[in-house]
Amino acid sequence: MTDSTLTSSAPDMRIALIGAGTIGLSLAALHLTHLPDASQLTIMDVRPDLEAYVAAVLPTHLPPGLRKLAAEVKLTSSVAEAVADCTIVQESGPERLDFKTQLWADVERLAPRGALLWTSTSGIPASQQNAAMEDKTRLLVVHPFNPPHILPLLEIVPSPQTSRAVVTKTMDFWRQIGREPVLLSREITGFVAGRLAWALLREAIHLVNEDVVTVEQLDRVMQTSMGPRWAYAGPFKSFQAGGGPGGLRALLGNVGGTVQACWDDGGRVDVGGSWEAKVFAQTDEAYGRPDLEERDEANRMVLRAVREAKSGRPGPASADGHDGT
Amino acid sequence: MTDSTLTSSAPDMRIALIGAGTIGLSLAALHLTHLPDASQLTIMDVRPDLEAYVAAVLPTHLPPGLRKLAAEVKLTSSVAEAVADCTIVQESGPERLDFKTQLWADVERLAPRGALLWTSTSGIPASQQNAAMEDKTRLLVVHPFNPPHILPLLEIVPSPQTSRAVVTKTMDFWRQIGREPVLLSREITGFVAGRLAWALLREAIHLVNEDVVTVEQLDRVMQTSMGPRWAYAGPFKSFQAGGGPGGLRALLGNVGGTVQACWDDGGRVDVGGSWEAKVFAQTDEAYGRPDLEERDEANRMVLRAVREAKSGRPGPASADGHDGT
């Protein structure tokens, strides 16, 4: 197992997933779509019903033609067995620093020297998780956006000790299987996707708490305005287009006063504040338990629509050339 | 012309659009898709090349089968002529209070008493625009999201003086033509869509200004994570799903510490700050002038994908049942 096998030779790839939760099994489904053989994937978890659980859940994440592969994945309750012969270790275990610190010290001892070590954490930076490791150059954050077998984003967040070679191999891996790795220049709380989402949520909570709109109305605003737009282009490209020939600069030249006024009296709610009873109750009443299958299918179809629009190849669903309104 | 004709009888509907800018012509295209006859629509603007301009731009907003209608719309440079016989006046003129105040005083005098009076303003509330009107119950904000012939949102924002009957008729109109009117309980700077967008943009600017990611990377994060999600479901429904059985409440119970930490050290940039040179330059370099046709086609296709997913009717483009990753 040389370093080069990690990025160039899928037949030699062996991936160990630590943790069979929501993220772990979604990652398993994703890896099964690119690995030549399902036996190249091992799932490690200490839950006693691991086999039955994987058999029940993993096929639901797979396209019909690949569902039988779920039974061919290796399962184990032993970290040592999972990582002994692997080229990649991807951890999606409990969000506890003590668990992760111990895990990586163990993995460093048990896995081949060239294996890439990835943590799916959404909150504990690699620079903390690597505390008990001898070689801190190997570990970095690979933060997926749930569920990763559908949504393409991976936030790649090295610690200050992570080697450049490990970062490069990690980026190459995700690009080669057609996903969207985005390399952050440094560790930051919440990473980028989380910070953007929470910033918007704070204003959303503020507007509901002030009774300007309800939870359901606010969601409808998003779905019928920025949502479709941001599925195609992020905020900078969207506002650049919105500003006409002068772009974002011209836009803020025109409406900067309103923007600043919104910022100055924007939502200043805090976690645990008195808004929670109202907002949680409205959300429960509006949605109960949302339909995840419909969500996942919608997300797949939206991603496909954007791909088709960008490729200039009108898909069958756009044959009428207009949205019919 | 009785009130009932406004919402129930399209043959008697006559719409006067004041202002033939980007929003005005997009609204014209939208109205042409539901009016029985193009002559029921009048566009008023004082630009000397109005006829040539409308002939060049309006057809590009219409599906091929309707493009010939652009030549049948009535054009005028006179407010009096535009509104004399109309049931709806929709204003998308300059964002200047003096212009709008005078316009509504004139329109009130010149239009039929039952006509609905709508302003597309993104920033000047109806309670200011109605200053010179005798009957302030008739005017309200109907704020479209650009371009309204594609994106379905209309933010309906009455002033404290707007009558309930006018609000009801306005909501009914937009619902009947298949758009998404959302009624705000009161006037608020930036309305809802704008406030949400600006809140997210502020954090986005902060992250680029701090060199965590580039403009292009940040946009890629959005397009591959929250964008597709929010095209299907707004932030509350999305986070309700993300929290599992416990919903949004459970989610914030788990990650509330990280959320609060993000809020506490989030972007505090201001309009006109030193970040502008860097962010504007990166945006210009990344995108120049974005392709609006591709954007509009992508937005149409995304909206169609969401409709198909929600109707449970898999469109032709989803025939392979998986996104191929």
Side-chain angles (χ1 to χ4, degrees):
Chain A
M1 180 168 345
T2 66
D3 284 352
S4 68
T5 63
L6 299 179
T7 56
S8 63
S9 182
D12 292 333
M13 195 176 280
R14 281 174 302 284
I15 301 177
L17 296 175
I18 310 293
T22 304
I23 295 287
L25 290 195
S26 174
L27 288 169
L30 176 60
H31 291 311
L32 284 175
T33 61
H34 70 85
L35 286 171
D37 194 295
S39 68
Q40 292 172 257
L41 183 68
T42 301
I43 299 173
M44 179 270 155
D45 199 293
V46 294
R47 59 186 295 160
D49 63 343
L50 182 61
E51 189 171 341
Y53 175 72
V54 170
V57 176
L58 183 50
T60 67
H61 296 338
L62 290 164
L66 297 184
R67 283 185 191 149
K68 63 178 184 335
L69 296 180
E72 298 170 29
V73 174
K74 289 185 191 166
L75 305 178
T76 177
S77 62
S78 154
V79 171
E81 190 181 325
V83 308
D85 193 31
C86 69
T87 58
I88 292 169
V89 180
Q90 187 162 24
E91 175 271 328
S92 312
E95 285 287 81
R96 296 201 329 263
L97 180 57
D98 60 341
F99 165 81
K100 292 184 195 281
T101 308
Q102 183 61 53
L103 177 75
W104 293 120
D106 292 343
V107 167
E108 183 180 39
R109 209 168 17 87
L110 298 165
R113 257 198 58 67
L116 296 170
L117 309 184
W118 298 339
T119 169
S120 299
T121 183
S122 60
I124 308 176
S127 61
Q128 292 180 26
Q129 296 191 35
N130 70 14
M133 294 177 79
E134 287 190 14
D135 179 0
K136 300 182 201 298
T137 67
R138 297 172 64 189
L139 181 67
L140 80 175
V141 169
V142 174
H143 178 235
F145 200 85
N146 185 41
H149 71 287
I150 294 172
L151 291 169
L153 176 66
L154 290 306
E155 292 182 278
I156 310 297
V157 195
S159 79
Q161 296 87 22
T162 311
S163 79
R164 182 180 297 251
V166 165
V167 172
T168 301
K169 286 173 199 157
T170 300
M171 294 292 289
D172 286 349
F173 171 88
W174 292 104
R175 285 196 188 114
Q176 283 172 13
I177 65 167
R179 308 309 276 179
E180 287 278 358
V182 173
L183 177 60
L184 276 59
S185 72
R186 58 180 168 83
E187 296 177 332
I188 184 169
T189 305
F191 311 135
V192 171
R195 293 179 73 96
L196 294 174
W198 303 131
L200 185 134
L201 181 67
R202 193 181 207 185
E203 182 64 29
I205 290 168
H206 169 67
L207 290 167
V208 171
N209 193 42
E210 295 287 317
D211 296 318
V212 175
V213 281
T214 66
V215 155
E216 187 274 336
Q217 284 182 307
L218 187 136
D219 276 354
R220 215 144 37 83
V221 166
M222 177 62 67
Q223 289 161 235
T224 54
S225 58
M226 285 90 70
R229 179 128 301 166
W230 288 343
Y232 160 73
F236 289 111
K237 186 172 178 181
S238 295
F239 285 124
Q240 179 82 348
L248 177 64
R249 185 192 314 263
L251 184 76
L252 287 177
N254 288 332
V255 301
T258 299
V259 173
Q260 188 65 47
C262 292
W263 288 351
D264 287 343
D265 81 337
R268 289 289 172 272
V269 298
D270 290 302
V271 172
S274 60
W275 57 269
E276 289 197 339
K278 179 193 290 186
V279 172
F280 292 162
Q282 276 194 27
T283 309
D284 286 341
E285 188 181 333
Y287 305 118
R289 289 196 65 175
D291 179 342
L292 298 188
E293 275 188 51
E294 183 186 271
R295 177 195 73 177
D296 290 351
E297 179 61 10
N299 289 175
R300 277 196 190 97
M301 290 170 72
V302 166
L303 288 163
R304 183 184 301 117
V306 171
R307 274 200 307 276
E308 288 176 0
K310 290 194 175 180
S311 71
R313 177 174 54 80
S318 71
D320 66 0
H322 199 252
D323 68 351
T325 54
Chain B
M1 180 170 342
T2 66
D3 284 354
S4 67
T5 64
L6 299 178
T7 56
S8 63
S9 183
D12 293 332
M13 193 176 283
R14 280 173 304 284
I15 302 178
L17 296 175
I18 309 294
T22 304
I23 295 288
L25 290 195
S26 173
L27 287 169
L30 176 59
H31 290 311
L32 285 175
T33 61
H34 70 84
L35 285 172
D37 193 296
S39 67
Q40 294 173 256
L41 183 67
T42 301
I43 300 175
M44 179 272 156
D45 200 293
V46 294
R47 60 186 297 160
D49 64 341
L50 181 61
E51 188 170 343
Y53 175 71
V54 170
V57 176
L58 183 51
T60 67
H61 296 338
L62 290 164
L66 296 184
R67 283 185 192 150
K68 64 178 185 334
L69 296 180
E72 299 170 28
V73 174
K74 289 185 190 164
L75 304 179
T76 178
S77 60
S78 154
V79 170
E81 188 180 327
V83 307
D85 193 31
C86 69
T87 57
I88 291 171
V89 179
Q90 187 161 25
E91 176 273 327
S92 311
E95 284 288 80
R96 295 200 329 263
L97 179 56
D98 59 342
F99 166 82
K100 292 183 196 281
T101 307
Q102 182 62 52
L103 176 75
W104 294 121
D106 293 342
V107 167
E108 183 180 38
R109 210 168 18 91
L110 298 165
R113 257 199 60 69
L116 296 170
L117 309 184
W118 298 339
T119 169
S120 299
T121 183
S122 60
I124 308 176
S127 61
Q128 292 180 25
Q129 296 191 35
N130 69 15
M133 295 178 78
E134 287 191 15
D135 179 359
K136 299 181 201 296
T137 66
R138 297 172 63 188
L139 181 67
L140 80 174
V141 169
V142 174
H143 179 235
F145 200 85
N146 184 39
H149 70 288
I150 294 172
L151 291 168
L153 176 64
L154 289 307
E155 293 182 276
I156 310 297
V157 195
S159 78
Q161 296 86 22
T162 311
S163 79
R164 183 180 296 253
V166 165
V167 171
T168 301
K169 286 172 199 159
T170 300
M171 295 291 289
D172 285 349
F173 171 88
W174 293 104
R175 285 196 187 112
Q176 283 173 14
I177 66 166
R179 309 309 277 180
E180 287 278 358
V182 173
L183 177 61
L184 276 59
S185 72
R186 59 179 168 86
E187 297 178 332
I188 184 170
T189 305
F191 311 135
V192 170
R195 294 179 72 96
L196 294 173
W198 303 131
L200 184 133
L201 181 67
R202 192 181 208 184
E203 182 64 28
I205 291 169
H206 169 67
L207 289 166
V208 170
N209 192 41
E210 295 286 318
D211 296 318
V212 175
V213 280
T214 65
V215 155
E216 188 275 335
Q217 284 182 306
L218 187 135
D219 276 354
R220 215 144 36 84
V221 166
M222 177 61 67
Q223 289 161 237
T224 56
S225 57
M226 284 91 70
R229 179 129 301 167
W230 288 343
Y232 161 72
F236 289 110
K237 185 173 178 182
S238 295
F239 285 125
Q240 179 83 347
L248 177 64
R249 187 192 311 265
L251 184 75
L252 286 177
N254 287 332
V255 302
T258 298
V259 172
Q260 188 65 46
C262 292
W263 287 351
D264 288 343
D265 81 339
R268 289 290 173 271
V269 298
D270 290 301
V271 172
S274 61
W275 56 269
E276 290 196 341
K278 179 193 289 186
V279 171
F280 291 161
Q282 276 193 28
T283 308
D284 287 340
E285 189 181 330
Y287 304 120
R289 290 196 65 176
D291 179 342
L292 298 188
E293 276 189 48
E294 183 185 271
R295 177 196 72 179
D296 290 350
E297 178 60 12
N299 288 174
R300 276 195 192 98
M301 291 169 71
V302 166
L303 288 163
R304 184 183 299 117
V306 170
R307 275 200 306 275
E308 288 176 1
K310 290 194 175 180
S311 72
R313 175 175 56 81
S318 71
D320 66 1
H322 198 253
D323 67 351
T325 54

